[in-house]
Amino acid sequence: MLSKSNYKHNFLLFAFACFSFYTAIAQKDSIEFYNQKISQLKNCPDFSENTPEYIDNLNQLSYYQRLIEQDSMLINSERALELSKQNDYIHGELEALANLASLYLYSGQTDKSIDFSLETIKNPDLKNYPKTEMKVYNILGQGYYLKNDYPSTYTQFLHTLAIAENTNDQFHLFRMNMNLGTIFSRLDDYNEALKYYAIAYKYVKKLNDPTKEAMLLSNMAFLNIELENLEQAKIELDETFALFEKNKQITWLAWTYSTLGLYYLTLNNFDNALVNYQISLDMHDGFNDVKAKADIKYGLGRSYLGLNNLVKAKASINESVTLYASSDYDAGLEKAYRTLYEINKSQDNVTESLKYLELTEKLSNDIFKKNNRRNLTMLNAKLNFEKETENLKAQNEFALNQQRKYVKWSLAGLFTLMVIVFIILKANQREKVLNKKLANQAEILNKNQESLTQINANQDRLFSIVGHDLRGPINSLNDILRLYLEDPEGKVYFEQFAPQLKEDLEQVQFTMDNLLHWGKTQMQGSSINVRSISVKYELDTILQLYRNEVNKKSIVINNQVAANHNVFADQQQFNVIFRNLINNAIKFTPNEGLITISTEIKDKNLVIQVTDTGVGMTEGDIQKLFSNTENFSKYGTNLEKGTGLGLRLVKAMVVKNDGEIIVKSQPNQGSQFIIELPVDIA
């Protein structure tokens, strides 16, 4: 009787190791493509190796070199890693580490591959890049598989599948269900294997990729041979051959011939089994897979034995023994020794047959014990994963409940604030917009655990601004109104303090505008209305708003903005950006100072510069300007107050409009704010 329960190990190992790389031809096409892209980048006049675009292309080139240009892959991966670290490019660093883990996996250095995978997983930023995260966990699972650590393999694949489900990644949903089916097929849990293969088949049909469908059919055919569903296996093999021959997938085609050999061997059709094993062996000579070649040699030996060609049978089985021993594959050795026992018994070599029988029984006992331990640890791993999943759900539910409480109190406080602002400023519409946006932000809090901390910090900052910068003018207005109404001379005091009160209320309104827009920027999914904007017209309008402050400090405005310079941006956010920048320039420029506003076109952007001759800032102050963790605010040259909110709002809106902001400043030498926004050439 043919011993085939362990034959599938190397076939299924091949399913993991070869699944993602298709053929050498496809590899060469991709390598050529990314080499050309890198050459084009290097030929650009402003080329720099420090750009994310160059690092990304270097990582892609490295990934496609993992099978046929491994020396070059090592050089490119290490270079990408070095450049990513130099430029604090986290995604590039993670991709480079994943590529190194993949390189060592395919070059047979499994322990080193696992070490690189574990190092990558330690990075807390990995969760921000789900495709890279799935790639790393899949490589780690394959590494554990090669170490015969099936519980760890199972855990890593389940983790990858969970990410794929959360991100609705169709390719990885197919890939991981196929891999999980392969694991359970290896563990003789055929019902579980068929369940995962059925799910994988559903997703591969959505992908509409004949190559991937053929890979799955090849695995399913192998499993059906194990289940003795030979008719179904033959149907799947025929479909697999048709797809692979049409798509020239030589690597998997070789393995499908090996499976067809097993099919005929199961039917005791030894002639056809021999032919297909020999075809597989001839095609397999170009692959560096010791275990797989051992299985083919074993299949040839069984075929020769079925044809009663004992000499060739013994020679092939002995070759498989050597290969199995070199790869420490006990299950393969056990079935090979059992076959040598049968051959020597048929040749009446009693001593040799007894020797191999003894070796067979010893290995069989060892394998039985290992399988029992493995099955127990596999079950334990499954239970632990399910327990962790349930715990995570419970933690998420608890966190959501806590978020709802925080949001409830936050909304209550904010609603009270909105009522006060409504009474004072009669800005009911703006209050409704802010309340709506904050409600949307609160809804996002319910879905995202990590954003809760940031929202709480934003809330604290909001109440701080309201408490320190809005309450004072409001209290002053309340006092002067009460004096006006209750004191006979209240009218005199009212007229005396009204100008200062007017300035305070104008600053309150400006602060409230910033608060409203800042609140809007904190809402995930908030939209912007991009249109063509005349920069000179908008800046002239803003300068007109500040004419009193400019005249009061005798500041000279040097407006060098070209009349024909337009940008693509949200008009409201454009006004908020430059109202804050011009307000700050006026605030920190001393009497009789100079403020210069200029524009120039650079590539596809319009550069708008706001330069003042004010008090300037230290390098440390510049680092704090856009910080989300600490509040930075100073009094102006005439003791004008600030909230520390304006520049963070400016940064958020510039980024939202696909722009960039740069700050240059030195103490007592003024400051320069440089804004780049997409230019409207027309």
Side-chain angles (χ1 to χ4, degrees), residues 411 414 433-444 455 458 516-527 656:
L411 290 176
L414 290 172
V433 171
L434 178 61
N435 196 43
K436 181 179 178 180
K437 295 304 179 183
L438 290 174
N440 289 337
Q441 190 174 7
E443 183 179 353
I444 294 172
I455 293 300
N458 292 341
L516 288 169
H517 290 297
W518 172 73
K520 185 176 180 180
T521 63
Q522 302 303 302
M523 302 295 182
Q524 294 184 10
S526 60
S527 61
K656 196 153 191 138

Side-chain angles (χ1 to χ4, degrees), residues 10-126:
N10 292 303
F11 183 87
L12 302 180
L13 174 60
F14 178 82
F16 292 147
C18 297
F19 178 85
S20 64
F21 52 73
Y22 309 140
T23 65
I25 294 175
Q27 293 288 306
K28 289 179 180 178
D29 289 343
S30 298
I31 291 171
E32 182 179 352
F33 173 78
Y34 283 105
N35 271 324
Q36 289 177 355
K37 287 196 68 175
I38 290 174
S39 295
Q40 291 171 359
L41 287 174
K42 288 183 175 179
N43 289 330
C44 293
D46 57 347
F47 167 72
S48 170
E49 284 189 336
N50 296 314
T51 62
E53 183 180 9
Y54 175 76
I55 297 172
D56 288 342
N57 279 282
L58 196 61
N59 271 324
Q60 287 292 331
L61 173 62
S62 171
Y63 175 74
Y64 285 107
Q65 290 174 324
R66 68 194 184 282
L67 294 179
I68 56 180
E69 295 182 5
Q70 292 184 348
D71 290 340
S72 297
M73 179 185 185
L74 177 61
I75 294 172
N76 289 329
S77 296
E78 289 181 341
R79 182 58 178 159
L81 181 61
E82 179 185 4
L83 290 172
S84 297
K85 288 182 176 179
Q86 287 178 1
N87 295 279
D88 294 326
Y89 183 35
I90 303 300
H91 190 205
E93 180 180 344
L94 294 170
E95 276 290 319
L97 287 170
N99 283 340
L100 287 168
S102 179
L103 168 66
Y104 293 122
L105 179 73
Y106 295 131
S107 62
Q109 301 179 65
T110 308
D111 290 333
K112 205 166 185 178
S113 173
I114 291 174
D115 289 342
F116 269 94
S117 297
L118 292 174
E119 179 184 351
T120 310
I121 289 170
K122 289 178 183 177
N123 193 312
D125 293 313
L126 181 61

Side-chain angles (χ1 to χ4, degrees), residues 365-486:
N365 289 333
D366 291 344
I367 291 169
F368 178 76
K369 293 177 182 178
K370 288 180 181 177
N371 286 345
N372 284 340
R373 288 195 298 269
R374 180 199 65 202
N375 291 336
L376 287 173
T377 54
M378 191 73 177
L379 176 61
N380 187 56
K382 183 177 182 180
L383 293 175
N384 285 339
F385 185 83
E386 291 173 351
K387 183 177 180 181
E388 289 175 4
T389 302
E390 290 301 319
N391 288 340
L392 183 60
K393 288 181 180 178
Q395 291 173 7
N396 288 339
E397 185 63 30
F398 177 78
L400 286 173
N401 289 333
Q402 291 297 107
Q403 289 175 18
R404 293 187 186 103
K405 292 180 181 178
Y406 291 139
V407 170
K408 181 179 179 180
W409 286 106
S410 299
L411 290 176
L414 290 172
F415 178 76
T416 303
L417 173 65
M418 293 302 102
V419 172
I420 295 172
V421 175
F422 170 75
I423 295 172
I424 300 300
L425 299 178
K426 297 181 180 181
N428 184 52
Q429 187 61 37
R430 280 199 296 261
E431 292 170 3
K432 289 181 179 179
V433 171
L434 178 61
N435 196 43
K436 181 179 178 180
K437 295 304 179 183
L438 290 174
N440 289 337
Q441 190 174 7
E443 183 179 353
I444 294 172
L445 281 171
N446 290 331
K447 300 177 181 178
N448 192 334
Q449 171 67 25
E450 294 179 359
S451 64
L452 178 61
T453 301
Q454 184 61 46
I455 293 300
N456 286 336
N458 292 341
Q459 173 189 301
D460 292 340
R461 188 177 297 116
L462 175 63
F463 281 114
S464 175
I465 291 171
V466 171
H468 291 85
D469 298 283
L470 300 185
R471 187 169 61 183
I474 293 172
N475 287 339
S476 297
L477 175 61
N478 184 54
D479 292 341
I480 198 69
L481 286 175
R482 185 170 63 249
L483 189 65
Y484 178 81
L485 294 173
E486 298 176 0

Side-chain angles (χ1 to χ4, degrees), residues 324-360:
Y324 283 137
S326 69
S327 56
D328 294 324
Y329 183 35
D330 289 344
L333 280 173
E334 187 265 340
K335 66 183 181 180
Y337 286 152
R338 190 175 299 278
T339 303
L340 287 172
Y341 159 72
E342 295 177 33
I343 294 172
N344 281 284
K345 184 178 179 182
S346 299
Q347 294 175 330
D348 294 326
N349 295 331
V350 177
T351 302
E352 286 293 305
S353 64
L354 289 175
K355 180 185 76 172
Y356 286 116
L357 179 60
E358 183 179 351
L359 289 171
T360 300

Side-chain angles (χ1 to χ4, degrees), residues 277-304:
Y277 275 125
Q278 190 59 54
I279 293 173
S280 177
L281 181 63
D282 293 341
M283 298 177 73
H284 189 271
D285 280 342
F287 313 143
N288 183 24
D289 192 330
V290 176
K291 288 184 179 180
K293 187 172 290 187
D295 272 332
I296 296 173
K297 289 289 185 180
Y298 174 79
L300 285 170
R302 295 298 306 188
S303 300
Y304 283 125

